[in-house]
Amino acid sequence: DSGVTQTPKHLITATGQRVTLRCSPRSGDLSVYWYQQSLDQGLQFLIQYYNGEERAKGNILERFSAQQFPDLHSELNLSSLELGDSALYFCASSRTGESGNTIYFGEGSWLTVV
Amino acid sequence: AQRVTQPEKLLSVFKGAPVELKCNYSYSGSPELFWYVQYSRQRLQLLLRHISRESIKGFTADLNKGETSFHLKKPFAQEEDSAMYYCALGGMRFGAGTRLTVKP
């Protein structure tokens, strides 16, 4: 158990809908990362937050947004969903968010768009 | 530009054979490199980080700045090593991954 908690574990929704994925980082970790893992694209970094502020942005679509709350949990919002958004979404956390920190991954949220 | 390249998508070896998973990186500063392992689409787990220079589950990896490589090696592969392996540069640059299959 990495200490990073993600909910829901599985989610099925229709095209055009909006979903929210939630993540609680490890106790004491200030930085949260979101990744998308699809069959054909591998692991793609989406966005990083540190202590409530956006720190780095990767290949995140405009239809997607995220935030980190004062209690350090984070949410990833996916809207106007398309079939191609079906993927495993990972959240991860690290102590300070510096590049040398070890990143601990959650179990992921499986999103299926039908 | 920061980039991580894992040239092999698939790698298959027999049990007991040596295995090497290749990773090359592109980074202008001092790289922070990691290897993560993922079993059956579960969460990624840290396997190694270059600064620790330790061996986990028999795996080692040496940073070669001249060749900009951080290859993962194990002298005798086991069936339970079958998994997806990702090389990462910091937290944001992951290679495409190599699926290792160890055959009995």
Side-chain angles (χ1 to χ4, degrees), chain A residues 35 37 45 56 100 102-103 106, chain B residues 36 38 41 43 46 49 86 91:
Chain A
Y35 304 85
Q37 186 179 41
F45 165 71
T102 297
I103 294 174
Chain B
Y36 286 87
Q38 185 183 30
R41 298 283 271 185
R43 66 177 178 88
L46 177 68
R49 49 185 303 188
Y86 289 95

Side-chain angles (χ1 to χ4, degrees), chain B residues 34-98:
Chain B
F34 302 81
W35 275 100
Y36 286 87
V37 60
Q38 185 183 30
Y39 300 100
S40 303
R41 298 283 271 185
Q42 297 175 20
R43 66 177 178 88
L44 277 75
Q45 303 174 44
L46 177 68
L47 187 60
L48 286 174
R49 49 185 303 188
H50 85 275
I51 63 171
S52 64
R53 298 189 62 81
E54 57 186 331
S55 173
I56 303 292
K57 299 184 181 183
F59 285 97
T60 59
D62 287 317
L63 175 62
N64 185 323
K65 289 188 177 180
E67 296 182 358
T68 60
S69 68
F70 188 56
H71 301 330
L72 183 68
K73 299 176 184 179
K74 185 169 183 176
F76 307 103
Q78 303 299 315
E79 290 180 68
E80 56 265 30
D81 296 328
S82 295
M84 194 75 172
Y85 291 81
Y86 289 95
C87 182
L89 180 61
M92 287 169 273
R93 292 282 182 264
F94 280 74
T98 297

Side-chain angles (χ1 to χ4, degrees), chain B residues 9 11 68 102 104:
Chain B
K9 275 195 167 180
L11 184 62
T68 60
V102 181

Side-chain angles (χ1 to χ4, degrees), chain A residues 8-41:
Chain A
K9 286 189 168 34
H10 299 274
L11 188 57
I12 301 174
T13 191
T15 54
Q17 295 298 306
R18 172 190 170 94
V19 298
T20 298
L21 308 181
R22 295 175 178 80
C23 171
S24 293
R26 289 189 327 150
S27 176
D29 283 0
L30 299 176
S31 193
V32 168
Y33 308 75
W34 285 98
Y35 304 85
Q36 179 193 57
Q37 186 179 41
S38 54
L39 284 175
D40 58 349
Q41 293 287 329

